[in-house]
mmCIF file of all heavy atoms in Angstrom:
data_model
loop_
_atom_site.group_PDB
_atom_site.id
_atom_site.type_symbol
_atom_site.label_atom_id
_atom_site.label_comp_id
_atom_site.label_asym_id
_atom_site.label_seq_id
_atom_site.Cartn_x
_atom_site.Cartn_y
_atom_site.Cartn_z
ATOM 1 N N GLU A 1 92.851 109.448 59.714
ATOM 2 C CA GLU A 1 92.874 109.771 61.197
ATOM 3 C C GLU A 1 93.980 110.751 61.632
ATOM 4 O O GLU A 1 94.903 110.828 60.916
ATOM 5 C CB GLU A 1 93.206 108.380 62.099
ATOM 6 C CG GLU A 1 92.070 107.329 61.882
ATOM 7 C CD GLU A 1 92.423 106.123 62.777
ATOM 8 O OE1 GLU A 1 93.061 105.236 62.207
ATOM 9 O OE2 GLU A 1 91.862 106.157 63.812
ATOM 10 N N HIS A 2 93.852 111.360 62.733
ATOM 11 C CA HIS A 2 94.791 112.285 63.153
ATOM 12 C C HIS A 2 96.134 111.780 63.491
ATOM 13 O O HIS A 2 97.125 112.462 63.345
ATOM 14 C CB HIS A 2 94.232 113.160 64.373
ATOM 15 C CG HIS A 2 94.395 112.419 65.675
ATOM 16 N ND1 HIS A 2 93.661 111.238 65.796
ATOM 17 C CD2 HIS A 2 94.995 112.687 66.740
ATOM 18 C CE1 HIS A 2 93.944 110.749 67.041
ATOM 19 N NE2 HIS A 2 94.741 111.652 67.633
ATOM 20 N N SER A 3 96.197 110.422 63.734
ATOM 21 C CA SER A 3 97.424 109.683 63.888
ATOM 22 C C SER A 3 98.110 109.320 62.541
ATOM 23 O O SER A 3 99.178 108.553 62.612
ATOM 24 C CB SER A 3 97.144 108.462 64.609
ATOM 25 O OG SER A 3 96.100 107.601 64.042
ATOM 26 N N ALA A 4 97.610 109.718 61.436
ATOM 27 C CA ALA A 4 98.388 109.553 60.131
ATOM 28 C C ALA A 4 98.175 108.136 59.581
ATOM 29 O O ALA A 4 98.940 107.602 58.863
ATOM 30 C CB ALA A 4 99.799 109.921 60.167
ATOM 31 N N HIS A 5 96.903 107.631 59.785
ATOM 32 C CA HIS A 5 96.488 106.371 59.072
ATOM 33 C C HIS A 5 95.454 106.816 58.035
ATOM 34 O O HIS A 5 94.536 107.619 58.412
ATOM 35 C CB HIS A 5 95.955 105.325 60.033
ATOM 36 C CG HIS A 5 96.821 104.833 60.957
ATOM 37 N ND1 HIS A 5 96.945 105.360 62.264
ATOM 38 C CD2 HIS A 5 97.519 103.671 61.037
ATOM 39 C CE1 HIS A 5 97.863 104.561 62.926
ATOM 40 N NE2 HIS A 5 98.233 103.559 62.080
ATOM 41 N N TYR A 6 95.704 106.376 56.720
ATOM 42 C CA TYR A 6 94.792 106.788 55.837
ATOM 43 C C TYR A 6 94.220 105.377 55.024
ATOM 44 O O TYR A 6 94.960 104.594 54.753
ATOM 45 C CB TYR A 6 95.354 107.629 54.733
ATOM 46 C CG TYR A 6 96.104 108.756 55.387
ATOM 47 C CD1 TYR A 6 97.530 108.786 55.564
ATOM 48 C CD2 TYR A 6 95.296 109.864 55.813
ATOM 49 C CE1 TYR A 6 98.028 109.982 56.314
ATOM 50 C CE2 TYR A 6 95.917 110.854 56.563
ATOM 51 C CZ TYR A 6 97.222 110.966 56.662
ATOM 52 O OH TYR A 6 97.845 111.973 57.308
ATOM 53 N N TYR A 7 92.859 105.402 54.781
ATOM 54 C CA TYR A 7 92.218 104.227 54.174
ATOM 55 C C TYR A 7 91.441 104.600 53.010
ATOM 56 O O TYR A 7 90.937 105.778 52.816
ATOM 57 C CB TYR A 7 91.154 103.839 55.175
ATOM 58 C CG TYR A 7 91.621 103.659 56.657
ATOM 59 C CD1 TYR A 7 91.832 104.873 57.552
ATOM 60 C CD2 TYR A 7 91.778 102.398 57.240
ATOM 61 C CE1 TYR A 7 92.234 104.678 58.943
ATOM 62 C CE2 TYR A 7 92.238 102.339 58.576
ATOM 63 C CZ TYR A 7 92.455 103.488 59.329
ATOM 64 O OH TYR A 7 92.799 103.417 60.785
ATOM 65 N N PHE A 8 91.357 103.578 52.046
ATOM 66 C CA PHE A 8 90.908 103.921 50.678
ATOM 67 C C PHE A 8 89.965 102.724 50.217
ATOM 68 O O PHE A 8 90.235 101.579 50.326
ATOM 69 C CB PHE A 8 92.058 104.185 49.741
ATOM 70 C CG PHE A 8 92.962 105.287 50.021
ATOM 71 C CD1 PHE A 8 93.948 105.037 50.926
ATOM 72 C CD2 PHE A 8 92.618 106.580 49.653
ATOM 73 C CE1 PHE A 8 94.889 106.056 51.350
ATOM 74 C CE2 PHE A 8 93.570 107.628 50.004
ATOM 75 C CZ PHE A 8 94.623 107.342 50.871
ATOM 76 N N LYS A 9 88.778 103.245 49.677
ATOM 77 C CA LYS A 9 88.028 102.215 49.025
ATOM 78 C C LYS A 9 88.661 101.384 47.981
ATOM 79 O O LYS A 9 88.449 100.200 47.798
ATOM 80 C CB LYS A 9 86.781 102.912 48.448
ATOM 81 C CG LYS A 9 85.720 101.905 47.804
ATOM 82 C CD LYS A 9 84.502 102.733 47.253
ATOM 83 C CE LYS A 9 83.541 101.897 46.615
ATOM 84 N NZ LYS A 9 82.255 102.622 46.176
ATOM 85 N N HIS A 10 89.591 101.985 47.217
ATOM 86 C CA HIS A 10 90.311 101.467 46.184
ATOM 87 C C HIS A 10 91.156 100.302 46.736
ATOM 88 O O HIS A 10 91.560 99.259 45.940
ATOM 89 C CB HIS A 10 91.296 102.479 45.497
ATOM 90 C CG HIS A 10 92.117 101.985 44.280
ATOM 91 N ND1 HIS A 10 91.411 101.608 43.034
ATOM 92 C CD2 HIS A 10 93.341 101.522 44.084
ATOM 93 C CE1 HIS A 10 92.343 101.155 42.320
ATOM 94 N NE2 HIS A 10 93.527 101.108 42.866
ATOM 95 N N THR A 11 91.609 100.327 47.918
ATOM 96 C CA THR A 11 92.385 99.165 48.471
ATOM 97 C C THR A 11 91.491 98.469 49.596
ATOM 98 O O THR A 11 91.946 98.243 50.691
ATOM 99 C CB THR A 11 93.711 99.715 49.102
ATOM 100 O OG1 THR A 11 93.487 100.874 49.983
ATOM 101 C CG2 THR A 11 94.601 100.190 48.038
ATOM 102 N N TYR A 12 90.313 98.221 49.158
ATOM 103 C CA TYR A 12 89.461 97.410 50.063
ATOM 104 C C TYR A 12 89.134 97.971 51.284
ATOM 105 O O TYR A 12 89.012 97.233 52.371
ATOM 106 C CB TYR A 12 89.971 95.991 50.168
ATOM 107 C CG TYR A 12 90.401 95.408 48.742
ATOM 108 C CD1 TYR A 12 91.692 95.388 48.320
ATOM 109 C CD2 TYR A 12 89.420 94.943 47.785
ATOM 110 C CE1 TYR A 12 92.242 94.964 47.088
ATOM 111 C CE2 TYR A 12 89.842 94.586 46.595
ATOM 112 C CZ TYR A 12 91.108 94.465 46.178
ATOM 113 O OH TYR A 12 91.574 94.010 45.107
ATOM 114 N N TYR A 13 88.989 99.322 51.323
ATOM 115 C CA TYR A 13 88.676 100.080 52.645
ATOM 116 C C TYR A 13 89.643 99.961 53.686
ATOM 117 O O TYR A 13 89.431 100.375 54.840
ATOM 118 C CB TYR A 13 87.417 99.595 53.334
ATOM 119 C CG TYR A 13 86.128 99.680 52.264
ATOM 120 C CD1 TYR A 13 85.685 98.509 51.610
ATOM 121 C CD2 TYR A 13 85.587 100.939 52.102
ATOM 122 C CE1 TYR A 13 84.498 98.649 50.765
ATOM 123 C CE2 TYR A 13 84.419 101.152 51.205
ATOM 124 C CZ TYR A 13 83.962 99.962 50.541
ATOM 125 O OH TYR A 13 82.874 100.045 49.707
ATOM 126 N N ALA A 14 90.902 99.660 53.408
ATOM 127 C CA ALA A 14 91.985 99.378 54.303
ATOM 128 C C ALA A 14 93.059 100.522 54.090
ATOM 129 O O ALA A 14 93.120 101.272 53.162
ATOM 130 C CB ALA A 14 92.623 97.984 54.078
ATOM 131 N N GLU A 15 93.930 100.555 55.102
ATOM 132 C CA GLU A 15 95.081 101.471 55.020
ATOM 133 C C GLU A 15 95.898 101.130 53.796
ATOM 134 O O GLU A 15 96.029 100.076 53.282
ATOM 135 C CB GLU A 15 95.995 101.308 56.241
ATOM 136 C CG GLU A 15 95.395 101.621 57.619
ATOM 137 C CD GLU A 15 95.027 100.373 58.362
ATOM 138 O OE1 GLU A 15 94.352 99.521 57.684
ATOM 139 O OE2 GLU A 15 95.249 100.306 59.577
ATOM 140 N N ASN A 16 96.560 102.260 53.383
ATOM 141 C CA ASN A 16 97.542 102.125 52.252
ATOM 142 C C ASN A 16 98.736 103.019 52.651
ATOM 143 O O ASN A 16 98.670 104.130 53.127
ATOM 144 C CB ASN A 16 97.025 102.507 50.957
ATOM 145 C CG ASN A 16 97.874 102.009 49.835
ATOM 146 O OD1 ASN A 16 98.646 102.835 49.273
ATOM 147 N ND2 ASN A 16 97.730 100.833 49.465
ATOM 148 N N ASP A 17 99.901 102.459 52.293
ATOM 149 C CA ASP A 17 101.155 103.149 52.438
ATOM 150 C C ASP A 17 101.807 103.924 51.303
ATOM 151 O O ASP A 17 102.532 104.726 51.370
ATOM 152 C CB ASP A 17 102.247 102.164 52.923
ATOM 153 C CG ASP A 17 102.305 100.894 52.014
ATOM 154 O OD1 ASP A 17 102.353 101.067 50.737
ATOM 155 O OD2 ASP A 17 102.458 99.751 52.625
ATOM 156 N N LEU A 18 101.186 103.746 50.017
ATOM 157 C CA LEU A 18 101.686 104.393 48.846
ATOM 158 C C LEU A 18 100.704 105.447 48.376
ATOM 159 O O LEU A 18 101.195 106.484 47.870
ATOM 160 C CB LEU A 18 101.808 103.384 47.718
ATOM 161 C CG LEU A 18 103.078 102.618 47.729
ATOM 162 C CD1 LEU A 18 103.165 101.518 46.620
ATOM 163 C CD2 LEU A 18 104.431 103.426 47.695
ATOM 164 N N ILE A 19 99.397 105.296 48.400
ATOM 165 C CA ILE A 19 98.533 106.228 47.895
ATOM 166 C C ILE A 19 98.607 107.674 48.434
ATOM 167 O O ILE A 19 98.500 108.516 47.694
ATOM 168 C CB ILE A 19 97.028 105.666 47.918
ATOM 169 C CG1 ILE A 19 96.869 104.487 47.028
ATOM 170 C CG2 ILE A 19 95.981 106.795 47.724
ATOM 171 C CD1 ILE A 19 95.521 103.789 47.279
ATOM 172 N N PRO A 20 98.748 107.718 49.933
ATOM 173 C CA PRO A 20 98.831 109.122 50.414
ATOM 174 C C PRO A 20 100.198 109.806 49.956
ATOM 175 O O PRO A 20 100.239 110.951 49.661
ATOM 176 C CB PRO A 20 99.105 108.798 51.891
ATOM 177 C CG PRO A 20 98.260 107.433 52.085
ATOM 178 C CD PRO A 20 98.612 106.723 50.992
ATOM 179 N N PHE A 21 101.354 108.989 49.721
ATOM 180 C CA PHE A 21 102.537 109.565 49.212
ATOM 181 C C PHE A 21 102.384 110.022 47.751
ATOM 182 O O PHE A 21 102.709 111.131 47.573
ATOM 183 C CB PHE A 21 103.581 108.451 49.316
ATOM 184 C CG PHE A 21 104.864 108.649 48.603
ATOM 185 C CD1 PHE A 21 105.595 109.827 48.953
ATOM 186 C CD2 PHE A 21 105.394 107.861 47.623
ATOM 187 C CE1 PHE A 21 106.801 110.155 48.256
ATOM 188 C CE2 PHE A 21 106.552 108.118 46.933
ATOM 189 C CZ PHE A 21 107.240 109.231 47.309
ATOM 190 N N LEU A 22 101.797 109.364 46.912
ATOM 191 C CA LEU A 22 101.614 109.646 45.511
ATOM 192 C C LEU A 22 100.450 110.764 45.362
ATOM 193 O O LEU A 22 100.664 111.708 44.577
ATOM 194 C CB LEU A 22 101.065 108.463 44.710
ATOM 195 C CG LEU A 22 102.230 107.309 44.607
ATOM 196 C CD1 LEU A 22 101.702 106.205 43.863
ATOM 197 C CD2 LEU A 22 103.556 107.833 43.898
ATOM 198 N N ALA A 23 99.445 110.740 46.174
ATOM 199 C CA ALA A 23 98.398 111.678 46.020
ATOM 200 C C ALA A 23 98.792 113.087 46.335
ATOM 201 O O ALA A 23 98.555 114.110 45.694
ATOM 202 C CB ALA A 23 97.172 111.293 46.954
ATOM 203 N N ILE A 24 99.682 113.258 47.488
ATOM 204 C CA ILE A 24 100.097 114.606 47.852
ATOM 205 C C ILE A 24 101.147 115.157 46.774
ATOM 206 O O ILE A 24 100.995 116.360 46.369
ATOM 207 C CB ILE A 24 100.659 114.673 49.249
ATOM 208 C CG1 ILE A 24 100.728 116.144 49.603
ATOM 209 C CG2 ILE A 24 101.998 113.971 49.223
ATOM 210 C CD1 ILE A 24 99.382 116.865 49.774
ATOM 211 N N LEU A 25 101.834 114.265 46.183
ATOM 212 C CA LEU A 25 102.742 114.776 45.136
ATOM 213 C C LEU A 25 102.011 115.084 43.899
ATOM 214 O O LEU A 25 102.267 116.077 43.081
ATOM 215 C CB LEU A 25 103.750 113.698 44.776
ATOM 216 C CG LEU A 25 104.803 113.256 45.881
ATOM 217 C CD1 LEU A 25 105.651 112.190 45.513
ATOM 218 C CD2 LEU A 25 105.670 114.532 46.143
ATOM 219 N N ASP A 26 100.954 114.305 43.555
ATOM 220 C CA ASP A 26 100.112 114.695 42.412
ATOM 221 C C ASP A 26 99.335 115.959 42.558
ATOM 222 O O ASP A 26 99.293 116.809 41.676
ATOM 223 C CB ASP A 26 99.042 113.520 42.129
ATOM 224 C CG ASP A 26 98.600 113.507 40.722
ATOM 225 O OD1 ASP A 26 99.173 114.117 39.869
ATOM 226 O OD2 ASP A 26 97.512 112.949 40.522
ATOM 227 N N LEU A 27 98.859 116.185 43.822
ATOM 228 C CA LEU A 27 98.129 117.534 44.136
ATOM 229 C C LEU A 27 99.244 118.668 44.073
ATOM 230 O O LEU A 27 98.841 119.739 43.461
ATOM 231 C CB LEU A 27 97.502 117.451 45.570
ATOM 232 C CG LEU A 27 96.930 118.730 45.991
ATOM 233 C CD1 LEU A 27 95.670 119.082 45.105
ATOM 234 C CD2 LEU A 27 96.204 118.525 47.480
ATOM 235 N N MET A 28 100.402 118.537 44.634
ATOM 236 C CA MET A 28 101.380 119.640 44.375
ATOM 237 C C MET A 28 101.738 119.841 42.922
ATOM 238 O O MET A 28 102.034 121.068 42.601
ATOM 239 C CB MET A 28 102.609 119.145 45.241
ATOM 240 C CG MET A 28 102.436 119.245 46.745
ATOM 241 S SD MET A 28 103.847 118.222 47.570
ATOM 242 C CE MET A 28 105.291 119.102 47.140
ATOM 243 N N THR A 29 101.758 118.766 42.110
ATOM 244 C CA THR A 29 102.018 118.964 40.761
ATOM 245 C C THR A 29 100.882 119.716 40.035
ATOM 246 O O THR A 29 101.097 120.646 39.228
ATOM 247 C CB THR A 29 102.241 117.649 40.056
ATOM 248 O OG1 THR A 29 103.224 116.957 40.809
ATOM 249 C CG2 THR A 29 102.483 117.696 38.574
ATOM 250 N N GLU A 30 99.600 119.232 40.251
ATOM 251 C CA GLU A 30 98.533 120.004 39.626
ATOM 252 C C GLU A 30 98.399 121.447 40.027
ATOM 253 O O GLU A 30 98.120 122.298 39.168
ATOM 254 C CB GLU A 30 97.192 119.293 40.091
ATOM 255 C CG GLU A 30 96.957 117.939 39.571
ATOM 256 C CD GLU A 30 95.688 117.231 40.011
ATOM 257 O OE1 GLU A 30 95.063 117.753 40.967
ATOM 258 O OE2 GLU A 30 95.244 116.287 39.310
ATOM 259 N N GLU A 31 98.618 121.692 41.255
ATOM 260 C CA GLU A 31 98.274 123.098 41.786
ATOM 261 C C GLU A 31 99.622 124.018 41.550
ATOM 262 O O GLU A 31 99.645 125.191 41.873
ATOM 263 C CB GLU A 31 97.986 123.106 43.290
ATOM 264 C CG GLU A 31 96.619 122.392 43.544
ATOM 265 C CD GLU A 31 95.437 123.116 43.025
ATOM 266 O OE1 GLU A 31 95.519 124.350 42.915
ATOM 267 O OE2 GLU A 31 94.416 122.524 42.597
ATOM 268 N N LYS A 32 100.801 123.379 41.253
ATOM 269 C CA LYS A 32 102.012 124.032 41.217
ATOM 270 C C LYS A 32 102.328 124.862 42.496
ATOM 271 O O LYS A 32 102.737 125.972 42.449
ATOM 272 C CB LYS A 32 102.102 124.962 40.034
ATOM 273 C CG LYS A 32 101.960 124.287 38.636
ATOM 274 C CD LYS A 32 102.001 125.214 37.495
ATOM 275 C CE LYS A 32 102.110 124.546 36.177
ATOM 276 N NZ LYS A 32 100.910 123.647 35.923
ATOM 277 N N LYS A 33 102.133 124.032 43.557
ATOM 278 C CA LYS A 33 102.236 124.692 44.893
ATOM 279 C C LYS A 33 103.008 123.716 45.893
ATOM 280 O O LYS A 33 102.983 122.491 45.808
ATOM 281 C CB LYS A 33 100.933 125.037 45.615
ATOM 282 C CG LYS A 33 100.109 126.162 44.894
ATOM 283 C CD LYS A 33 98.669 126.289 45.445
ATOM 284 C CE LYS A 33 97.908 127.370 44.525
ATOM 285 N NZ LYS A 33 96.497 127.306 45.056
ATOM 286 N N SER A 34 103.746 124.269 46.681
ATOM 287 C CA SER A 34 104.360 123.499 47.812
ATOM 288 C C SER A 34 103.479 123.002 48.854
ATOM 289 O O SER A 34 102.253 123.466 48.975
ATOM 290 C CB SER A 34 105.442 124.199 48.504
ATOM 291 O OG SER A 34 104.861 125.394 49.293
ATOM 292 N N LEU A 35 103.713 122.005 49.682
ATOM 293 C CA LEU A 35 102.822 121.496 50.701
ATOM 294 C C LEU A 35 102.508 122.547 51.722
ATOM 295 O O LEU A 35 101.366 122.736 52.012
ATOM 296 C CB LEU A 35 103.471 120.328 51.360
ATOM 297 C CG LEU A 35 102.604 119.691 52.398
ATOM 298 C CD1 LEU A 35 101.299 119.314 51.981
ATOM 299 C CD2 LEU A 35 103.363 118.502 53.112
ATOM 300 N N SER A 36 103.563 123.526 52.087
ATOM 301 C CA SER A 36 103.109 124.429 52.972
ATOM 302 C C SER A 36 102.147 125.530 52.426
ATOM 303 O O SER A 36 101.287 126.124 53.099
ATOM 304 C CB SER A 36 104.540 125.234 53.465
ATOM 305 O OG SER A 36 105.094 125.908 52.289
ATOM 306 N N GLN A 37 102.179 125.761 51.136
ATOM 307 C CA GLN A 37 101.330 126.646 50.568
ATOM 308 C C GLN A 37 99.863 125.982 50.431
ATOM 309 O O GLN A 37 98.821 126.684 50.802
ATOM 310 C CB GLN A 37 101.766 127.022 49.052
ATOM 311 C CG GLN A 37 102.860 127.928 48.866
ATOM 312 C CD GLN A 37 103.410 128.035 47.496
ATOM 313 O OE1 GLN A 37 103.450 126.996 46.742
ATOM 314 N NE2 GLN A 37 103.850 129.194 47.181
ATOM 315 N N LEU A 38 99.760 124.731 50.224
ATOM 316 C CA LEU A 38 98.405 124.024 50.134
ATOM 317 C C LEU A 38 97.873 124.070 51.619
ATOM 318 O O LEU A 38 96.631 124.303 51.703
ATOM 319 C CB LEU A 38 98.646 122.625 49.733
ATOM 320 C CG LEU A 38 98.992 122.463 48.250
ATOM 321 C CD1 LEU A 38 99.299 120.978 47.872
ATOM 322 C CD2 LEU A 38 97.840 122.887 47.381
ATOM 323 N N LEU A 39 98.736 123.876 52.644
ATOM 324 C CA LEU A 39 98.272 123.927 53.943
ATOM 325 C C LEU A 39 97.859 125.321 54.369
ATOM 326 O O LEU A 39 96.691 125.385 55.037
ATOM 327 C CB LEU A 39 99.281 123.503 54.909
ATOM 328 C CG LEU A 39 99.687 122.050 54.966
ATOM 329 C CD1 LEU A 39 101.074 121.796 55.574
ATOM 330 C CD2 LEU A 39 98.625 121.194 55.519
ATOM 331 N N LYS A 40 98.521 126.316 53.919
ATOM 332 C CA LYS A 40 97.945 127.666 54.263
ATOM 333 C C LYS A 40 96.646 128.051 53.725
ATOM 334 O O LYS A 40 95.870 128.643 54.274
ATOM 335 C CB LYS A 40 99.037 128.707 53.734
ATOM 336 C CG LYS A 40 98.811 130.021 54.211
ATOM 337 C CD LYS A 40 99.862 131.093 53.733
ATOM 338 C CE LYS A 40 99.678 132.400 54.190
ATOM 339 N NZ LYS A 40 100.783 133.381 53.845
ATOM 340 N N GLU A 41 96.205 127.411 52.569
ATOM 341 C CA GLU A 41 95.004 127.615 51.938
ATOM 342 C C GLU A 41 93.915 127.033 52.613
ATOM 343 O O GLU A 41 92.771 127.352 52.507
ATOM 344 C CB GLU A 41 94.958 127.255 50.454
ATOM 345 C CG GLU A 41 96.022 128.037 49.583
ATOM 346 C CD GLU A 41 95.987 127.509 48.150
ATOM 347 O OE1 GLU A 41 95.258 126.432 47.851
ATOM 348 O OE2 GLU A 41 96.728 128.030 47.405
ATOM 349 N N LEU A 42 94.187 126.129 53.622
ATOM 350 C CA LEU A 42 93.003 125.454 54.388
ATOM 351 C C LEU A 42 92.547 126.403 55.356
ATOM 352 O O LEU A 42 91.373 126.225 55.792
ATOM 353 C CB LEU A 42 93.695 124.276 55.157
ATOM 354 C CG LEU A 42 94.072 123.053 54.264
ATOM 355 C CD1 LEU A 42 94.684 121.883 55.184
ATOM 356 C CD2 LEU A 42 92.980 122.453 53.473
#
């Protein structure tokens, strides 16, 4: 949601407080890019 709630099938279709945190760090690691660079590519 635009209000910064994120839901995952892995956590029974409900919100999660850790997955968004870890996922963006993992994406930054994989791509070797900062968050601002990833956003620019959108």
Side-chain angles (χ1 to χ4, degrees):
E1 294 186 274
H2 73 300
S3 56
H5 293 89
Y6 308 103
Y7 311 77
F8 300 89
K9 182 177 180 179
H10 184 73
T11 50
Y12 311 101
Y13 301 101
E15 297 100 315
N16 193 263
D17 47 42
L18 281 175
I19 292 174
F21 172 55
L22 297 177
I24 197 60
L25 294 177
D26 202 19
L27 180 60
M28 290 163 61
T29 301
E30 286 179 349
E31 297 290 330
K32 296 182 173 58
K33 294 172 183 172
S34 67
L35 180 53
S36 63
Q37 289 172 321
L38 291 170
L39 290 165
K40 188 175 182 179
E41 291 177 359
L42 292 174

